[in-house]
Amino acid sequence: MTAPGQAEAHVRDAYRHCERITRQQARNFAYGIALLPTDKRRALSAVYAFARRIDDIGDGTLPAQDKIAALERMRAAVDRLAGQDAVPPEDTVPPEDQVLFALRDAAG
């Protein structure tokens, strides 16, 4: 279990990571959401970063079967975030996956 201060710092870092992805990959979108309140801006950055990941899989050079497997893993990750399986919420996201970590926080 993570101490409260560490958890807050990890969530903050995860959102910063997502905001960085958004600024680098979707400049116009980043300008638009910069006008939102912090909590909404952070949540939309997490959603965008996850969508970017999905798009990169679809547009990438992997063979079709590997793309399907990668997309299935992403669907399973979202299902776990939504609590659609038996995994406890605190165990649904590996801490090193900042995009999923932020997305889980935004959904909560």
Side-chain angles (χ1 to χ4, degrees):
M1 179 140 228
T2 307
Q6 287 178 315
E8 290 173 19
H10 189 65
V11 168
R12 214 173 22 252
D13 290 346
Y15 279 121
R16 284 187 188 134
H17 176 75
C18 292
E19 289 174 334
R20 195 168 33 256
I21 290 169
T22 304
R23 278 192 312 275
Q24 292 171 351
Q25 302 293 320
R27 291 188 190 273
N28 289 338
F29 183 71
Y31 290 131
I33 68 169
L35 302 172
L36 295 172
T38 301
D39 58 336
K40 291 181 181 181
R41 183 188 68 243
R42 288 171 27 156
L44 277 176
S45 291
V47 170
Y48 175 82
F50 185 75
R52 175 88 255 156
R53 182 180 288 180
I54 298 301
D55 191 56
D56 288 346
I57 292 169
D59 290 345
T61 59
L62 292 173
Q65 193 163 4
D66 292 343
K67 286 181 182 184
I68 290 168
L71 292 170
E72 286 174 353
R73 285 191 299 276
M74 292 298 100
R75 179 185 296 270
V78 170
D79 287 347
R80 284 191 302 276
L81 293 179
Q84 295 181 13
D85 64 12
V87 178
E90 63 274 6
D91 295 332
T92 60
V93 177
E96 65 275 6
D97 192 329
Q98 291 183 310
V99 172
L100 287 177
F101 198 84
L103 192 62
R104 181 186 71 193
D105 185 74

